[in-house]
Amino acid sequence: MAAELVINYIIEQQGINLNTLTDKDFSNISWLNEREPIYNMKGEKVSKSYYYQNKKEAVRIEYSKITGDYEYNGVTYPDTWLGFKKSMNWLDWAGEIAVTKEMQAYYFNLEPVFLADGTETVTGFSSQKMIEILKDERYKADSYLQAKNPQLYALLYARYGNEYNGYLRTGVKDGFVSAINAETEPSILAVLNNEVYGFEPMTVKELILMNLQ
């Protein structure tokens, strides 16, 4: 049984005939339970899974960003965020990915972002959907921190509430970064300079700054 797909086992047990297994909308299957999506520390959506009877993972959808070269007015801009993609993975009874299907990629309608100095210098590219995703990621990262470390979360809001909220709303991190870098209060510095368990020798301050957009 170990190498058998969980969903195939379920289909056999339920007496169900699914000829187009890979195209099935799993959100409409009553005997599969959708789990809360998983986000990383930066608020990026990593995966979402469907479980059989809320016990055995059967299907895992994984999400990733597409980056690469983008050409604008004859100039190539490397490492540009172009869109995102997802893969649908079927797990066997041992919990290993046995079958993977790459889904159709999603690309942004990118527009240039200019430096506001009258020179039309391109500083990057953006789109309405990208802005929505980035804002959602900032608030997901905020929720991640609150869930993982409520005390640190409370300290950040108490000490840098205005600067941090400004970053969440706009994505501009300069004010928040400057406030943390200018910190002189010994009790606050003691917290910021603590090493993060499992990420040693990275400090709390370094981890916070690393996960900003």
Short mmCIF file of all heavy atoms in Angstrom, two decimals, residues 129-181:
data_model
loop_
_atom_site.label_atom_id
_atom_site.label_comp_id
_atom_site.label_asym_id
_atom_site.label_seq_id
_atom_site.Cartn_x
_atom_site.Cartn_y
_atom_site.Cartn_z
N LYS A 129 -2.05 43.64 -9.80
CA LYS A 129 -2.12 42.35 -9.11
C LYS A 129 -0.90 42.13 -8.24
O LYS A 129 -1.00 41.61 -7.12
CB LYS A 129 -2.25 41.21 -10.14
CG LYS A 129 -2.44 39.84 -9.51
CD LYS A 129 -3.74 39.76 -8.71
CE LYS A 129 -3.98 38.38 -8.17
NZ LYS A 129 -5.24 38.28 -7.39
N MET A 130 0.26 42.51 -8.72
CA MET A 130 1.48 42.37 -7.93
C MET A 130 1.38 43.17 -6.62
O MET A 130 1.75 42.67 -5.55
CB MET A 130 2.71 42.84 -8.72
CG MET A 130 4.01 42.69 -7.95
SD MET A 130 5.40 43.52 -8.75
CE MET A 130 5.65 42.47 -10.18
N ILE A 131 0.88 44.40 -6.72
CA ILE A 131 0.73 45.24 -5.53
C ILE A 131 -0.22 44.59 -4.53
O ILE A 131 0.02 44.59 -3.32
CB ILE A 131 0.23 46.64 -5.92
CG1 ILE A 131 1.29 47.37 -6.75
CG2 ILE A 131 -0.11 47.45 -4.68
CD1 ILE A 131 2.61 47.57 -6.05
N GLU A 132 -1.31 44.01 -5.03
CA GLU A 132 -2.25 43.33 -4.15
C GLU A 132 -1.59 42.15 -3.44
O GLU A 132 -1.79 41.95 -2.23
CB GLU A 132 -3.45 42.83 -4.96
CG GLU A 132 -4.35 43.94 -5.49
CD GLU A 132 -5.45 43.39 -6.38
OE1 GLU A 132 -5.53 42.15 -6.55
OE2 GLU A 132 -6.23 44.19 -6.92
N ILE A 133 -0.81 41.39 -4.19
CA ILE A 133 -0.15 40.22 -3.61
C ILE A 133 0.88 40.65 -2.57
O ILE A 133 0.96 40.07 -1.47
CB ILE A 133 0.52 39.37 -4.71
CG1 ILE A 133 -0.56 38.74 -5.59
CG2 ILE A 133 1.40 38.29 -4.11
CD1 ILE A 133 0.00 38.02 -6.81
N LEU A 134 1.68 41.66 -2.88
CA LEU A 134 2.69 42.13 -1.94
C LEU A 134 2.07 42.64 -0.65
O LEU A 134 2.58 42.37 0.45
CB LEU A 134 3.54 43.23 -2.60
CG LEU A 134 4.51 42.76 -3.68
CD1 LEU A 134 5.13 43.96 -4.39
CD2 LEU A 134 5.60 41.88 -3.08
N LYS A 135 0.97 43.38 -0.77
CA LYS A 135 0.30 43.87 0.43
C LYS A 135 -0.24 42.72 1.26
O LYS A 135 -0.10 42.70 2.50
CB LYS A 135 -0.85 44.82 0.05
CG LYS A 135 -1.50 45.49 1.25
CD LYS A 135 -2.52 46.53 0.81
CE LYS A 135 -3.12 47.26 2.01
NZ LYS A 135 -4.09 48.30 1.60
N ASP A 136 -0.83 41.74 0.59
CA ASP A 136 -1.34 40.56 1.30
C ASP A 136 -0.20 39.83 1.99
O ASP A 136 -0.35 39.36 3.14
CB ASP A 136 -2.05 39.64 0.31
CG ASP A 136 -2.65 38.41 1.00
OD1 ASP A 136 -3.58 38.59 1.81
OD2 ASP A 136 -2.19 37.29 0.72
N GLU A 137 0.96 39.73 1.33
CA GLU A 137 2.11 39.04 1.94
C GLU A 137 2.60 39.79 3.18
O GLU A 137 2.98 39.15 4.17
CB GLU A 137 3.24 38.92 0.92
CG GLU A 137 2.95 37.88 -0.16
CD GLU A 137 4.08 37.76 -1.17
OE1 GLU A 137 5.02 38.58 -1.11
OE2 GLU A 137 4.02 36.85 -2.01
N ARG A 138 2.60 41.11 3.15
CA ARG A 138 3.04 41.87 4.32
C ARG A 138 2.14 41.57 5.52
O ARG A 138 2.63 41.38 6.65
CB ARG A 138 3.05 43.37 4.02
CG ARG A 138 4.09 43.79 3.01
CD ARG A 138 4.31 45.30 3.01
NE ARG A 138 3.14 46.05 2.59
CZ ARG A 138 2.83 46.32 1.33
NH1 ARG A 138 3.59 45.86 0.35
NH2 ARG A 138 1.77 47.05 1.02
N TYR A 139 0.85 41.54 5.31
CA TYR A 139 -0.07 41.27 6.41
C TYR A 139 -0.04 39.81 6.84
O TYR A 139 -0.25 39.49 8.01
CB TYR A 139 -1.49 41.72 6.04
CG TYR A 139 -1.68 43.21 6.18
CD1 TYR A 139 -1.51 44.07 5.10
CD2 TYR A 139 -1.99 43.77 7.42
CE1 TYR A 139 -1.65 45.43 5.23
CE2 TYR A 139 -2.15 45.14 7.56
CZ TYR A 139 -1.97 45.97 6.47
OH TYR A 139 -2.11 47.33 6.61
N LYS A 140 0.25 38.89 5.89
CA LYS A 140 0.41 37.49 6.26
C LYS A 140 1.67 37.31 7.11
O LYS A 140 1.69 36.53 8.07
CB LYS A 140 0.49 36.62 5.00
CG LYS A 140 -0.84 36.44 4.27
CD LYS A 140 -1.82 35.61 5.10
CE LYS A 140 -3.05 35.18 4.32
NZ LYS A 140 -3.81 36.29 3.74
N ALA A 141 2.75 38.03 6.76
CA ALA A 141 3.97 37.98 7.55
C ALA A 141 3.72 38.55 8.95
O ALA A 141 4.25 38.04 9.95
CB ALA A 141 5.08 38.76 6.85
N ASP A 142 2.92 39.59 9.02
CA ASP A 142 2.54 40.18 10.30
C ASP A 142 1.80 39.16 11.16
O ASP A 142 2.09 38.99 12.35
CB ASP A 142 1.67 41.42 10.04
CG ASP A 142 1.19 42.07 11.32
OD1 ASP A 142 2.01 42.68 12.02
OD2 ASP A 142 -0.02 41.97 11.62
N SER A 143 0.85 38.44 10.56
CA SER A 143 0.10 37.41 11.28
C SER A 143 1.00 36.26 11.70
O SER A 143 0.84 35.68 12.78
CB SER A 143 -1.05 36.87 10.41
OG SER A 143 -1.98 37.89 10.12
N TYR A 144 1.96 35.91 10.85
CA TYR A 144 2.91 34.83 11.15
C TYR A 144 3.70 35.18 12.41
O TYR A 144 3.85 34.36 13.32
CB TYR A 144 3.85 34.63 9.97
CG TYR A 144 4.84 33.50 10.14
CD1 TYR A 144 4.59 32.24 9.60
CD2 TYR A 144 6.04 33.68 10.83
CE1 TYR A 144 5.49 31.20 9.73
CE2 TYR A 144 6.95 32.65 10.98
CZ TYR A 144 6.67 31.41 10.43
OH TYR A 144 7.57 30.38 10.58
N LEU A 145 4.22 36.41 12.47
CA LEU A 145 4.99 36.84 13.63
C LEU A 145 4.13 36.85 14.89
O LEU A 145 4.57 36.41 15.96
CB LEU A 145 5.57 38.23 13.38
CG LEU A 145 6.36 38.84 14.54
CD1 LEU A 145 7.57 37.97 14.88
CD2 LEU A 145 6.82 40.26 14.18
N GLN A 146 2.90 37.34 14.77
CA GLN A 146 2.01 37.38 15.93
C GLN A 146 1.73 35.97 16.46
O GLN A 146 1.69 35.75 17.67
CB GLN A 146 0.69 38.06 15.56
CG GLN A 146 -0.24 38.24 16.75
CD GLN A 146 -1.50 39.00 16.38
OE1 GLN A 146 -1.87 39.06 15.21
NE2 GLN A 146 -2.17 39.57 17.36
N ALA A 147 1.56 35.00 15.56
CA ALA A 147 1.27 33.63 15.98
C ALA A 147 2.50 32.96 16.58
O ALA A 147 2.39 32.21 17.55
CB ALA A 147 0.76 32.82 14.79
N LYS A 148 3.68 33.23 16.00
CA LYS A 148 4.90 32.55 16.44
C LYS A 148 5.52 33.17 17.68
O LYS A 148 6.11 32.46 18.51
CB LYS A 148 5.92 32.55 15.29
CG LYS A 148 5.55 31.68 14.11
CD LYS A 148 5.61 30.21 14.46
CE LYS A 148 5.37 29.34 13.24
NZ LYS A 148 5.43 27.90 13.56
N ASN A 149 5.43 34.48 17.81
CA ASN A 149 6.10 35.16 18.93
C ASN A 149 5.28 36.37 19.37
O ASN A 149 5.61 37.51 19.02
CB ASN A 149 7.51 35.58 18.53
CG ASN A 149 8.38 35.88 19.74
OD1 ASN A 149 7.90 36.41 20.74
ND2 ASN A 149 9.66 35.53 19.65
N PRO A 150 4.21 36.15 20.12
CA PRO A 150 3.33 37.25 20.54
C PRO A 150 4.06 38.34 21.33
O PRO A 150 3.72 39.53 21.20
CB PRO A 150 2.27 36.56 21.40
CG PRO A 150 2.29 35.13 20.96
CD PRO A 150 3.71 34.84 20.59
N GLN A 151 5.05 37.96 22.15
CA GLN A 151 5.76 38.96 22.96
C GLN A 151 6.59 39.89 22.09
O GLN A 151 6.60 41.11 22.29
CB GLN A 151 6.64 38.26 23.99
CG GLN A 151 5.85 37.55 25.10
CD GLN A 151 6.74 36.94 26.14
OE1 GLN A 151 7.84 36.46 25.83
NE2 GLN A 151 6.29 36.93 27.39
N LEU A 152 7.31 39.33 21.12
CA LEU A 152 8.09 40.16 20.21
C LEU A 152 7.16 41.04 19.37
O LEU A 152 7.45 42.22 19.14
CB LEU A 152 8.94 39.28 19.30
CG LEU A 152 9.75 40.01 18.22
CD1 LEU A 152 10.72 40.99 18.84
CD2 LEU A 152 10.50 39.00 17.34
N TYR A 153 6.06 40.47 18.94
CA TYR A 153 5.07 41.21 18.16
C TYR A 153 4.56 42.42 18.94
O TYR A 153 4.50 43.53 18.41
CB TYR A 153 3.92 40.27 17.81
CG TYR A 153 2.84 40.87 16.95
CD1 TYR A 153 2.98 40.93 15.56
CD2 TYR A 153 1.66 41.35 17.51
CE1 TYR A 153 1.98 41.46 14.77
CE2 TYR A 153 0.65 41.89 16.72
CZ TYR A 153 0.82 41.94 15.35
OH TYR A 153 -0.17 42.47 14.57
N ALA A 154 4.24 42.21 20.22
CA ALA A 154 3.74 43.30 21.06
C ALA A 154 4.82 44.37 21.26
O ALA A 154 4.52 45.57 21.26
CB ALA A 154 3.29 42.75 22.41
N LEU A 155 6.07 43.93 21.42
CA LEU A 155 7.16 44.88 21.61
C LEU A 155 7.34 45.76 20.37
O LEU A 155 7.51 46.98 20.48
CB LEU A 155 8.45 44.12 21.91
CG LEU A 155 9.70 44.96 22.18
CD1 LEU A 155 10.61 44.25 23.18
CD2 LEU A 155 10.48 45.22 20.88
N LEU A 156 7.31 45.15 19.19
CA LEU A 156 7.48 45.92 17.96
C LEU A 156 6.39 46.97 17.80
O LEU A 156 6.67 48.11 17.41
CB LEU A 156 7.48 44.97 16.75
CG LEU A 156 8.70 44.08 16.56
CD1 LEU A 156 8.51 43.15 15.37
CD2 LEU A 156 9.96 44.92 16.38
N TYR A 157 5.16 46.59 18.10
CA TYR A 157 4.06 47.54 17.96
C TYR A 157 4.14 48.65 18.99
O TYR A 157 3.84 49.81 18.71
CB TYR A 157 2.72 46.82 18.05
CG TYR A 157 2.11 46.57 16.69
CD1 TYR A 157 2.19 45.32 16.09
CD2 TYR A 157 1.48 47.59 15.98
CE1 TYR A 157 1.65 45.09 14.83
CE2 TYR A 157 0.94 47.37 14.73
CZ TYR A 157 1.03 46.11 14.15
OH TYR A 157 0.52 45.90 12.91
N ALA A 158 4.55 48.28 20.21
CA ALA A 158 4.65 49.30 21.26
C ALA A 158 5.77 50.29 20.98
O ALA A 158 5.65 51.49 21.28
CB ALA A 158 4.88 48.61 22.61
N ARG A 159 6.85 49.79 20.39
CA ARG A 159 8.03 50.63 20.19
C ARG A 159 8.04 51.34 18.83
O ARG A 159 8.48 52.49 18.72
CB ARG A 159 9.30 49.77 20.32
CG ARG A 159 10.59 50.55 20.35
CD ARG A 159 10.70 51.37 21.62
NE ARG A 159 12.01 52.01 21.72
CZ ARG A 159 12.35 52.81 22.73
NH1 ARG A 159 11.49 53.06 23.70
NH2 ARG A 159 13.56 53.36 22.75
N TYR A 160 7.59 50.64 17.79
CA TYR A 160 7.70 51.18 16.43
C TYR A 160 6.36 51.15 15.69
O TYR A 160 6.33 50.97 14.47
CB TYR A 160 8.71 50.35 15.62
CG TYR A 160 10.00 50.05 16.32
CD1 TYR A 160 10.31 48.74 16.73
CD2 TYR A 160 10.94 51.05 16.58
CE1 TYR A 160 11.50 48.45 17.37
CE2 TYR A 160 12.14 50.77 17.23
CZ TYR A 160 12.41 49.47 17.63
OH TYR A 160 13.58 49.18 18.26
N GLY A 161 5.27 51.30 16.42
CA GLY A 161 3.94 51.14 15.84
C GLY A 161 3.69 51.98 14.60
O GLY A 161 3.21 51.47 13.58
N ASN A 162 4.02 53.26 14.65
CA ASN A 162 3.75 54.15 13.52
C ASN A 162 4.57 53.76 12.29
O ASN A 162 4.04 53.68 11.17
CB ASN A 162 4.05 55.60 13.90
CG ASN A 162 3.05 56.16 14.88
OD1 ASN A 162 1.91 55.69 14.96
ND2 ASN A 162 3.46 57.16 15.64
N GLU A 163 5.85 53.49 12.51
CA GLU A 163 6.74 53.14 11.41
C GLU A 163 6.36 51.77 10.81
O GLU A 163 6.36 51.60 9.59
CB GLU A 163 8.19 53.11 11.88
CG GLU A 163 8.75 54.44 12.32
CD GLU A 163 8.46 54.76 13.78
OE1 GLU A 163 7.73 53.97 14.43
OE2 GLU A 163 8.97 55.79 14.26
N TYR A 164 6.02 50.84 11.70
CA TYR A 164 5.69 49.50 11.24
C TYR A 164 4.36 49.50 10.47
O TYR A 164 4.23 48.86 9.42
CB TYR A 164 5.63 48.55 12.43
CG TYR A 164 5.39 47.11 12.06
CD1 TYR A 164 6.24 46.44 11.18
CD2 TYR A 164 4.30 46.40 12.57
CE1 TYR A 164 6.02 45.11 10.84
CE2 TYR A 164 4.08 45.08 12.23
CZ TYR A 164 4.95 44.43 11.37
OH TYR A 164 4.73 43.13 11.03
N ASN A 165 3.37 50.21 10.98
CA ASN A 165 2.08 50.30 10.29
C ASN A 165 2.22 50.99 8.93
O ASN A 165 1.54 50.64 7.96
CB ASN A 165 1.05 51.03 11.15
CG ASN A 165 0.38 50.11 12.15
OD1 ASN A 165 0.05 48.98 11.82
ND2 ASN A 165 0.19 50.59 13.37
N GLY A 166 3.10 51.97 8.87
CA GLY A 166 3.36 52.64 7.60
C GLY A 166 3.93 51.67 6.58
O GLY A 166 3.55 51.69 5.40
N TYR A 167 4.82 50.81 7.03
CA TYR A 167 5.39 49.79 6.14
C TYR A 167 4.31 48.82 5.67
O TYR A 167 4.24 48.49 4.48
CB TYR A 167 6.50 49.04 6.87
CG TYR A 167 6.82 47.70 6.26
CD1 TYR A 167 7.43 47.61 5.00
CD2 TYR A 167 6.47 46.51 6.91
CE1 TYR A 167 7.70 46.37 4.42
CE2 TYR A 167 6.74 45.28 6.34
CZ TYR A 167 7.35 45.21 5.10
OH TYR A 167 7.60 43.99 4.53
N LEU A 168 3.45 48.37 6.60
CA LEU A 168 2.40 47.43 6.22
C LEU A 168 1.47 48.03 5.17
O LEU A 168 1.06 47.35 4.22
CB LEU A 168 1.59 47.02 7.45
CG LEU A 168 2.27 46.10 8.47
CD1 LEU A 168 1.34 45.83 9.65
CD2 LEU A 168 2.71 44.78 7.83
N ARG A 169 1.13 49.30 5.30
CA ARG A 169 0.19 49.94 4.38
C ARG A 169 0.81 50.18 3.02
O ARG A 169 0.16 50.00 1.99
CB ARG A 169 -0.31 51.26 4.97
CG ARG A 169 -1.26 51.12 6.15
CD ARG A 169 -1.95 52.44 6.44
NE ARG A 169 -0.98 53.51 6.66
CZ ARG A 169 -0.47 53.84 7.86
NH1 ARG A 169 -0.85 53.15 8.94
NH2 ARG A 169 0.40 54.82 7.97
N THR A 170 2.07 50.61 2.99
CA THR A 170 2.65 51.09 1.74
C THR A 170 3.73 50.19 1.14
O THR A 170 4.02 50.27 -0.05
CB THR A 170 3.29 52.47 1.96
OG1 THR A 170 4.41 52.33 2.85
CG2 THR A 170 2.29 53.44 2.57
N GLY A 171 4.37 49.38 1.98
CA GLY A 171 5.49 48.59 1.51
C GLY A 171 6.81 49.34 1.57
O GLY A 171 7.88 48.77 1.29
N VAL A 172 6.79 50.61 1.94
CA VAL A 172 8.02 51.40 2.08
C VAL A 172 8.57 51.15 3.48
O VAL A 172 7.94 51.51 4.48
CB VAL A 172 7.74 52.90 1.87
CG1 VAL A 172 9.02 53.71 2.08
CG2 VAL A 172 7.17 53.14 0.48
N LYS A 173 9.75 50.57 3.55
CA LYS A 173 10.29 50.10 4.84
C LYS A 173 11.32 51.04 5.46
O LYS A 173 11.79 50.79 6.58
CB LYS A 173 10.93 48.73 4.65
CG LYS A 173 12.09 48.71 3.68
CD LYS A 173 12.60 47.29 3.45
CE LYS A 173 13.72 47.25 2.42
NZ LYS A 173 14.20 45.88 2.15
N ASP A 174 11.69 52.12 4.75
CA ASP A 174 12.81 52.95 5.20
C ASP A 174 12.63 53.47 6.62
O ASP A 174 13.57 53.43 7.43
CB ASP A 174 12.99 54.14 4.24
CG ASP A 174 13.35 53.69 2.84
OD1 ASP A 174 13.44 52.47 2.60
OD2 ASP A 174 13.52 54.56 1.96
N GLY A 175 11.43 53.98 6.94
CA GLY A 175 11.19 54.54 8.27
C GLY A 175 11.31 53.50 9.37
O GLY A 175 11.91 53.75 10.42
N PHE A 176 10.78 52.32 9.12
CA PHE A 176 10.84 51.24 10.11
C PHE A 176 12.27 50.76 10.29
O PHE A 176 12.74 50.56 11.43
CB PHE A 176 9.94 50.09 9.65
CG PHE A 176 9.90 48.92 10.57
CD1 PHE A 176 9.72 49.09 11.94
CD2 PHE A 176 10.05 47.63 10.08
CE1 PHE A 176 9.68 47.99 12.80
CE2 PHE A 176 10.01 46.53 10.92
CZ PHE A 176 9.83 46.71 12.29
N VAL A 177 13.00 50.59 9.20
CA VAL A 177 14.40 50.14 9.27
C VAL A 177 15.25 51.17 10.01
O VAL A 177 16.08 50.82 10.86
CB VAL A 177 14.96 49.88 7.86
CG1 VAL A 177 16.46 49.61 7.91
CG2 VAL A 177 14.24 48.72 7.20
N SER A 178 15.03 52.44 9.70
CA SER A 178 15.80 53.51 10.37
C SER A 178 15.54 53.53 11.86
O SER A 178 16.46 53.72 12.67
CB SER A 178 15.46 54.87 9.76
OG SER A 178 15.87 54.94 8.41
N ALA A 179 14.27 53.33 12.26
CA ALA A 179 13.92 53.35 13.68
C ALA A 179 14.60 52.20 14.43
O ALA A 179 15.10 52.39 15.54
CB ALA A 179 12.40 53.25 13.83
N ILE A 180 14.63 51.02 13.82
CA ILE A 180 15.28 49.89 14.47
C ILE A 180 16.79 50.10 14.55
O ILE A 180 17.42 49.84 15.58
CB ILE A 180 14.96 48.58 13.72
CG1 ILE A 180 13.50 48.19 13.93
CG2 ILE A 180 15.87 47.45 14.16
CD1 ILE A 180 13.09 46.89 13.27
N ASN A 181 17.38 50.59 13.46
CA ASN A 181 18.83 50.80 13.44
C ASN A 181 19.28 51.90 14.40
O ASN A 181 20.43 51.91 14.86
CB ASN A 181 19.29 51.13 12.03
CG ASN A 181 19.31 49.92 11.11
OD1 ASN A 181 19.46 48.79 11.57
ND2 ASN A 181 19.15 50.14 9.81
#
